[in-house]
Amino acid sequence: MADYRALWEILGMDLEKHDVLCAVLPELYGDVYLSQQNRPEGMNYYNFVISEVHGLRIQELENHKEEGGKVVGTFCVFVPDELILAAGAIGVGLCGGSQFWIEDGEKVLPRNICPLVKAFVGAKVSGTCPYFQSCDMLVGETTCDGKKKAWEILDEYVPTYVMDLPQMKRDKDYLKWAEEIEDLKAKLEALTGNQITEEKLAAAIKLCNRKRAALKRLYDARKALNVPISGKDALLISQIAFYDNPERFIEMTNKLCDELEERIEMSKGTAAQKAPRLLITGTPMAIPNWKLHHIIEESGATVVCEETCTGTRYFENPVDESQTDMAGMIKAMADRYLHINCACFTPNDGRVEDIIRYAREYGADGVVYYNLQFCHTYNIEYKAVEKALKEAGIPVLFIETDYSNDDTGQLKTRIEAFLEMLK
Amino acid sequence: MEEQDYYVIFPNVNEGLKLEKQLKEKKIKYTIVPTPREISKCCGICIKYLFEDEGAVKQAAAEHGIQVSGFHALHKRKK
């Protein structure tokens, strides 16, 4: 077996504690993923990525660093990957989705904040996440109060740069966001010593758009009557998109889509044809948070779409590729990114429209509104979403939860009752 | 007799990917999985195959000089 301990040691990890985390993965992944029947063969690639999640990819980051390259960690779909790539750096998504990190997070943070923030802070302070350990700089943003203050703590461990995301969508907010993107460009140039030229940025925009197109193709396949891939497999692919090598990810995801499109032709689905189809909307699900999808699909339904940051918000709307000068490209990025409908904006009517449109496009029988505990903006926005869905005649279930398994039984009961109602 | 799952493990990820390529070409059914802790404590891939294919898997590895660290059988996990 490949021995990555020497690599982890270079990264200054707590090997003993990290081993406890490693011990959980094979069993968890086996229970949630490998127990599925009728899985597309193309999922072997993502099995490989997960199996090597703290191995091969970390080695690739280390090799890049040995050649003088930089690694930049991000936490949000508003931070433009294009700039990181154009600066010759590698970007990795760092949101934490494991209960394992909560305890360490609570050592430095209050307990009553969202599990995602506690988990990523816990991952850093415990020295058990090799992605965090590989980063030369983190780029945070101001999407919520929890994150905003957590950057101050992370900055004590690794240089953390913060982008100030406007919380309204007026013309002046678009201008301000373009300025923030300009500032990040300068910061990345200083970090890497590489100038972000128009040519490099244009190439990075094309690369990121190709990744978006591959994910869109995957999601489009889920609109089929016989869904050719389970919701949890699609979620896994979205999660992997945040840290995998982009070119390899695009190639393998397109290969998988070839297989999915063949399955659609042959009416070969992963679930029973009459299985209820659900759309999930709400807060992000960072790897390895597969909890809700697992409960839903074990209960006999299929998740056909996620209107979340680990779903449609990550890939919808490409950056306009017709711009050729720096100012035009930065404006095009600002326009694309600020168009994302996150609950941190007021008002945020666009999200309600997105949910109803997706529910129809993906043929959803019902919507599950997923709220991570203590996420106030998404929690409050439920009221508007519920009202609009009721008016549209689409049933909705509100689920508030964290990463622990304490409420799994209760959630299962509520989801089964909801599915019963959809029949 | 209790049912078992069959795994082959590798000294490094590249050897695993080489064997995967051969199995794919020969249309031998396989699944890439995280190495079960009962087999090794080092993170990384291993390949799970069907018992009836064991001869073919061993032959594919031998034919192409692919290094393997061992073949293992484990009792199927009860859910």
Side-chain angles (χ1 to χ4, degrees):
Chain A
M1 267 318 303
D3 193 342
Y4 292 113
R5 275 171 299 196
L7 173 65
W8 298 331
E9 209 145 25
I10 295 171
L11 295 172
M13 292 177 62
D14 180 338
L15 294 189
E16 212 172 302
K17 199 165 203 174
H18 178 244
D19 191 57
V20 180
L21 178 62
C22 288
V24 184
L25 182 79
E27 201 175 316
L28 174 67
Y29 193 71
D31 285 348
V32 177
Y33 280 97
L34 302 173
S35 59
Q36 296 179 92
Q37 301 296 316
N38 220 355
R39 247 180 134 204
E41 280 181 23
M43 287 311 296
N44 262 318
Y45 173 69
Y46 308 93
N47 289 348
F48 151 73
V49 176
I50 283 291
S51 305
E52 291 288 336
V53 66
H54 284 189
L56 182 66
R57 186 64 182 142
I58 301 302
Q59 185 67 62
E60 289 174 352
L61 298 182
E62 192 56 26
N63 296 346
H64 170 75
K65 287 167 61 135
E66 274 169 18
E67 288 164 16
K70 300 290 180 191
V71 178
V72 176
T74 62
F75 302 83
C76 178
V77 296
F78 280 97
V79 175
D81 287 334
E82 288 88 347
L83 283 180
I84 297 171
L85 292 165
I90 296 180
V92 286
L94 288 177
C95 282
S98 172
Q99 177 70 16
F100 177 81
W101 289 312
I102 298 290
E103 197 185 321
D104 283 301
E106 287 179 350
K107 286 180 186 163
V108 290
L109 290 166
R111 295 190 65 194
N112 56 345
I113 60 168
C114 118
L116 189 145
V117 174
K118 283 192 280 194
F120 73 61
V121 171
K124 181 63 206 175
V125 303
S126 64
T128 51
C129 173
Y131 289 90
F132 256 107
Q133 299 306 105
S134 300
C135 285
D136 298 289
M137 183 175 87
L138 307 180
V139 181
E141 65 335 292
T142 53
T143 39
C144 76
D145 289 352
K147 279 173 144 189
K148 208 157 69 185
K149 300 307 284 181
W151 310 137
E152 296 168 18
I153 295 173
L154 285 184
D155 192 44
E156 292 170 21
Y157 294 81
V158 50
T160 305
Y161 177 81
V162 184
M163 296 183 82
D164 186 9
L165 181 76
Q167 321 258 281
M168 293 177 79
K169 293 185 180 180
R170 301 159 301 185
D171 290 347
K172 63 180 176 184
D173 296 310
Y174 278 85
L175 293 174
K176 154 127 173 110
W177 188 234
E179 276 174 25
E180 285 294 312
I181 293 176
E182 286 261 17
D183 290 351
L184 176 66
K185 173 176 169 284
K187 186 75 194 174
L188 288 166
E189 286 175 333
L191 174 79
T192 59
N194 298 328
Q195 203 200 336
I196 298 178
T197 60
E198 286 169 348
E199 206 181 359
K200 283 182 192 166
L201 186 56
I205 288 174
K206 284 201 174 79
L207 176 61
C208 291
N209 278 346
R210 280 171 51 226
K211 182 157 116 176
R212 292 184 183 110
L215 285 164
K216 172 93 172 106
R217 191 177 163 203
L218 167 71
Y219 271 62
D220 280 344
R222 302 168 76 190
K223 294 175 183 169
L225 192 61
N226 279 308
V227 190
I229 183 165
S230 67
K232 58 186 161 193
D233 274 334
L235 171 67
L236 176 71
I237 297 168
S238 289
Q239 292 169 334
I240 285 174
F242 284 83
Y243 65 88
D244 197 11
N245 172 303
E247 284 289 2
R248 182 174 57 204
F249 176 84
I250 293 166
E251 184 196 338
M252 298 312 286
T253 302
N254 277 318
K255 267 191 195 162
L256 171 76
C257 289
D258 292 340
E259 184 186 348
L260 299 183
E261 285 159 15
E262 275 172 33
R263 282 181 159 226
I264 294 171
E265 288 271 309
M266 295 186 298
S267 292
K268 192 173 168 190
T270 48
Q273 217 181 86
K274 284 183 185 162
R277 302 164 67 99
L278 297 182
L279 174 130
I280 292 180
T281 179
T283 46
M285 294 171 173
I287 205 162
N289 177 9
W290 306 309
K291 180 176 164 179
L292 185 61
H293 281 63
H294 186 52
I295 297 173
I296 289 175
E297 296 195 332
E298 288 279 288
S299 305
T302 301
V303 179
V304 289
C305 179
E306 296 81 17
E307 189 279 315
T308 66
C309 298
T310 41
T312 55
R313 282 179 226 140
Y314 185 50
F315 67 78
E316 287 285 16
N317 306 315
V319 173
D320 174 13
E321 290 182 13
S322 69
Q323 301 298 320
T324 49
D325 65 343
M326 189 54 75
M329 284 188 271
I330 287 183
K331 184 181 179 301
M333 284 194 290
D335 289 350
R336 186 266 158 193
Y337 280 94
L338 209 64
H339 193 66
I340 298 169
N341 294 316
C342 170
C344 69
F345 290 96
T346 185
N348 191 33
D349 302 334
R351 178 166 169 243
V352 179
E353 290 159 20
D354 286 346
I355 296 168
I356 290 175
R357 191 178 76 250
Y358 291 142
R360 291 188 175 135
E361 275 179 21
Y362 288 83
D365 300 303
V367 170
V368 176
Y369 196 104
Y370 174 70
N371 201 80
L372 279 172
Q373 262 174 15
F374 307 112
C375 181
H376 302 318
T377 51
Y378 278 92
N379 197 349
I380 295 168
E381 203 161 274
Y382 174 66
K383 198 173 180 298
V385 172
E386 183 192 30
K387 183 170 173 275
L389 285 171
K390 268 194 181 149
E391 280 166 12
I394 304 166
V396 57
L397 174 70
F398 180 82
I399 298 279
E400 185 172 49
T401 186
D402 60 9
Y403 295 163
S404 76
N405 284 322
D406 299 349
D407 59 351
T408 305
Q410 191 200 16
L411 290 182
K412 200 166 168 46
T413 308
R414 289 186 59 208
I415 285 162
E416 282 169 357
F418 182 62
L419 296 177
E420 197 56 40
M421 196 197 79
L422 295 180
K423 278 182 187 167
Chain B
M1 202 183 93
E2 226 178 315
E3 277 192 89
Q4 293 192 312
D5 283 326
Y6 297 85
Y7 303 90
V8 49
I9 63 169
F10 309 92
N12 61 61
V13 60
N14 291 333
E15 297 300 310
L17 293 177
K18 274 193 235 168
L19 184 63
E20 188 209 4
K21 189 163 171 263
Q22 293 307 319
L23 298 183
K24 199 181 256 178
E25 275 176 21
K26 293 178 200 297
K27 296 200 164 37
I28 298 170
K29 206 171 156 45
Y30 69 90
T31 314
I32 295 182
V33 302
T35 305
R37 293 285 284 187
E38 298 90 325
I39 298 176
S40 166
K41 280 197 171 180
C42 294
C43 292
I45 65 161
C46 78
I47 291 182
K48 189 174 150 188
Y49 57 88
L50 299 171
F51 177 67
E52 60 261 36
D53 293 327
E54 184 156 290
V57 173
K58 283 184 173 166
Q59 198 187 338
E63 266 175 24
H64 297 272
I66 298 167
Q67 297 172 43
V68 300
S69 307
F71 291 84
H72 297 264
L74 289 181
H75 290 304
K76 263 193 204 299
R77 287 195 51 240
K78 288 197 187 83
K79 279 199 84 183

